Amino acid sequence: MAGLPKRIIKETERLMADPAPGITATPHDDNLRYFDVTIAGPDGSPFAAGNFRLELFLPEEYPMAPPKVRFLTKIYHPNIDKLGRICLDILKDKWSPALQIRTVLLSIQALLSSPNPDDPLATDVAKHYKEDEKDAQRVSQEWTQLYAK
Amino acid sequence: MDWANTKLPEPEDFPESSTAPGLRALDNALRCTICKELFSGPVSLRCGHSFCSQCIRQALSAKQECPTCRKGHETEVQIRVNMDLEEAVLAWTAARSHVLELIEKANSASSTRHPPLPPKKRKRSEPVEDDEIVELSSETSPPRSSPPADATLCPMCNKPASEAEINRHLDSGCPAAVQPSNKKGSSSKDEWSKLMSGRTKSLAKGKGRATDSDDEPSPLPKVSYDTLKDRQIKELLSEQGLPTTGDRQLLIKRHQQWVIMYNSNLDKKVTVRTTQAKLKADLARWLEKHAMSAKPVVEDVQAHQRKYGKEFAALTASARPKAKA
């Protein structure tokens, strides 16, 4: 508890008291900078009805540096690689201290709705998405049913 | 979870806009988007967005754009003090706990319909009040409540002046500083600081900001540390009365952060500024949290290995099967 910036405490309170739809984030009791996150796959996407687990860590420099976020659930998505790393600009060079945990998680949820195969992280998935989107979405759906329960 | 017990003041302390229109939005509007606190020394960028001086200086040192709208090429030079916003925040800080109290009273008056509500409200707002009262009494009120007994306001420039001084002050056309004792005491120091900062080229910049008086301290210049030797950085630090211990990286970090804290303190209204001593204590605390938490240096490698060898082996063993699976 000691040394935890007020901003983090406030964000945590807000996340618990008034969570964004389809998103939960719970801090670990022994490390309040480490969150267990779940994101519900957005309706109308191949990830619908899936429940994806992620981990989120707030580094010492937060909010001057972005949080570190990673998918723990396997997912077939052109911007998420097999280690769960996410290719999203606001998690890297487009980070701004005015952003917060809530907006980051909403952005990730939006990334599930609109994959961006032109800026891929998982190149094979991106290729699949570009060559045969229908078939790639079918695989995404399969993986969702298989892993994101 | 213990953070739940330490309820911090936040916009949601106020009821939704359907019951109390505008209050939650007002509290939110007077908060910095970086630290989520009520503005402390608010400043604006060219795009019109405002932040606490220290927050934006810190943010700009990492990336030169507005954190809210990403308008680019903002530097510390473009920061403008937002005095009216500061007044609004100070007034709201004073009013906040009072308003919360009034809401609570109104709630308990109409509590016959919703009996469980009021106790919850009370729990929420009490620590808030404590917080505000402490902050207020230590920062805002003493300067305001303690002008000299014969104090009056100058009818021309509205500055406080003692009655004995007021005529001379008016005759000389309202020079900004009306505290002769203060001026006398610091004049030689001023002389020195001018000499010192003259050496580092930024006096012209500082002059632009120092608005109305001669003994208004000017902001510290930014330093390009790469061109300086350790000895010169230490000199810069000792000029500011700061410790010169630690390696080069720490020296730079200490001076950098000091410039940010010192300059943002100057962006605050004189009456709510922090003292140099407190600022230095804040700096030490900040460094402890940020710079010191960098990797500790292992001095005796073998002793370290002996001490942690077992733990390390256990950790690798437990990590291996996971990696395979």
Side-chain angles (χ1 to χ4, degrees):
Chain A
M1 177 72 202
L4 197 70
K6 279 189 193 169
R7 155 151 177 177
I8 296 182
I9 300 172
K10 282 185 189 181
E11 278 197 54
T12 310
E13 277 175 1
R14 279 294 92 216
L15 282 168
M16 309 286 281
D18 177 25
I23 293 175
T24 67
T26 324
H28 277 213
D29 277 334
D30 55 345
N31 184 355
L32 296 172
R33 288 176 175 272
Y34 186 75
F35 291 73
D36 287 324
V37 177
T38 64
I39 295 182
D43 289 340
S45 76
F47 309 100
N51 195 23
F52 296 89
R53 290 199 309 121
L54 297 88
E55 60 178 4
L56 181 147
F57 180 72
L58 303 174
E60 189 63 46
E61 301 81 33
Y62 182 82
M64 293 305 160
K68 299 184 192 308
V69 198
R70 194 171 77 90
F71 270 84
L72 297 174
T73 307
K74 259 169 88 87
I75 181 168
Y76 196 77
H77 188 290
N79 308 106
I80 301 163
D81 73 3
K82 60 180 178 209
L83 295 176
R85 294 176 300 187
I86 306 163
C87 177
L88 185 62
D89 55 358
I90 60 160
L91 290 176
K92 308 222 165 67
D93 55 318
K94 284 283 189 272
W95 169 252
S96 148
L99 296 170
Q100 47 179 324
I101 301 173
R102 177 186 298 266
T103 47
V104 164
L105 296 180
L106 284 169
S107 299
I108 294 174
Q109 199 179 34
L111 186 67
L112 295 185
S113 301
S114 48
N116 178 11
D118 293 322
D119 183 19
L121 191 60
T123 37
D124 46 335
V125 182
K127 202 168 153 228
H128 194 184
Y129 257 85
K130 278 180 121 168
E131 283 170 357
D132 186 351
E133 197 179 346
K134 274 262 159 59
D135 190 56
Q137 285 179 341
R138 181 189 55 78
V139 179
S140 293
Q141 213 166 359
E142 266 177 32
W143 280 39
T144 305
Q145 282 160 8
L146 219 58
Y147 304 111
K149 279 290 136 198
Chain B
M1 267 169 265
D2 44 357
W3 51 262
N5 303 327
T6 54
K7 185 78 180 63
L8 293 165
E10 57 176 0
E12 285 74 13
D13 295 336
F14 295 96
E16 282 171 35
S17 61
S18 49
T19 14
L23 279 180
R24 199 184 272 194
L26 173 66
D27 196 63
N28 201 27
L30 295 178
R31 280 174 191 276
C32 166
T33 46
I34 297 182
C35 65
K36 315 278 181 215
E37 302 286 317
L38 292 173
F39 285 116
S40 154
V43 297
S44 304
L45 297 177
R46 286 180 299 178
C47 54
H49 289 114
S50 299
F51 307 89
C52 300
S53 178
Q54 189 172 331
C55 293
I56 191 61
R57 283 172 191 272
Q58 208 101 55
L60 289 179
S61 71
K63 199 176 186 192
Q64 306 195 325
E65 61 175 29
C66 168
T68 304
C69 66
R70 298 189 194 283
K71 285 241 171 76
H73 308 298
E74 294 288 345
T75 62
E76 286 190 42
V77 183
Q78 271 113 27
I79 291 178
R80 289 292 173 265
V81 179
N82 196 334
M83 296 176 191
D84 293 336
L85 182 54
E86 183 171 33
E87 289 299 335
V89 171
L90 290 175
W92 177 238
T93 311
R96 199 176 185 277
S97 54
H98 181 61
V99 173
L100 282 169
E101 234 168 77
L102 287 180
I103 293 172
E104 198 188 312
K105 255 183 221 159
N107 275 343
S108 51
S110 64
S111 67
T112 40
R113 274 196 315 154
H114 313 281
L117 254 176
K120 198 175 155 206
K121 276 276 179 291
R122 189 166 296 126
K123 212 172 173 185
R124 290 187 114 197
S125 57
E126 251 168 25
V128 175
E129 282 165 38
D130 288 350
D131 223 30
E132 303 295 6
I133 286 164
V134 171
E135 262 178 49
L136 273 178
S137 56
S138 68
E139 290 187 16
T140 42
S141 36
R144 281 184 192 175
S145 55
S146 60
D150 60 342
T152 172
L153 286 183
C154 165
M156 298 300 286
C157 66
N158 252 340
K159 287 243 158 61
S162 72
E163 233 160 289
E165 291 287 332
I166 191 75
N167 283 335
R168 196 143 56 82
H169 167 71
L170 278 172
D171 290 346
S172 53
C174 291
V178 211
Q179 283 138 331
S181 58
N182 190 353
K183 203 155 193 175
K184 213 188 270 168
S186 62
S187 65
S188 69
K189 215 174 177 182
D190 266 358
E191 231 48 69
W192 274 109
S193 70
K194 264 178 207 163
L195 274 179
M196 298 301 226
S197 49
R199 227 184 37 172
T200 43
K201 90 189 167 184
S202 74
L203 196 65
K205 233 190 262 167
K207 268 274 141 81
R209 267 268 309 114
T211 42
D212 49 357
S213 93
D214 279 330
D215 45 349
E216 167 87 22
S218 47
L220 296 172
K222 289 191 109 180
V223 180
S224 54
Y225 301 96
D226 288 343
T227 63
L228 297 181
K229 297 204 170 70
D230 288 9
R231 183 179 49 78
Q232 289 167 302
I233 300 176
K234 282 186 184 173
E235 259 170 45
L236 284 176
L237 285 166
S238 57
E239 267 169 33
Q240 298 295 324
L242 295 169
T244 54
T245 50
D247 59 358
R248 182 180 171 87
Q249 216 189 338
L250 182 61
L251 293 178
I252 292 177
K253 205 149 198 186
R254 184 183 290 136
H255 193 263
Q256 240 170 1
Q257 188 62 21
W258 173 251
V259 172
I260 289 180
M261 287 181 157
Y262 183 93
N263 289 351
S264 59
N265 193 36
L266 289 188
D267 287 339
K268 294 183 197 166
K269 201 172 140 185
V270 182
T271 47
V272 293
R273 277 185 202 159
T274 324
T275 61
Q276 296 271 320
K278 168 127 194 316
L279 213 55
K280 280 174 190 167
D282 287 348
L283 173 70
R285 219 173 311 129
W286 189 91
L287 282 175
E288 210 170 291
K289 248 179 34 201
H290 290 83
M292 305 297 198
S293 65
K295 272 187 188 164
V297 181
V298 179
E299 277 174 3
D300 186 348
V301 183
Q302 284 184 343
H304 186 82
Q305 264 174 351
R306 249 175 281 132
K307 193 173 169 195
Y308 293 105
K310 243 187 212 158
E311 196 184 334
F312 188 70
L315 282 172
T316 12
S318 71
R320 283 239 161 88
K322 244 190 250 166
K324 263 179 204 160

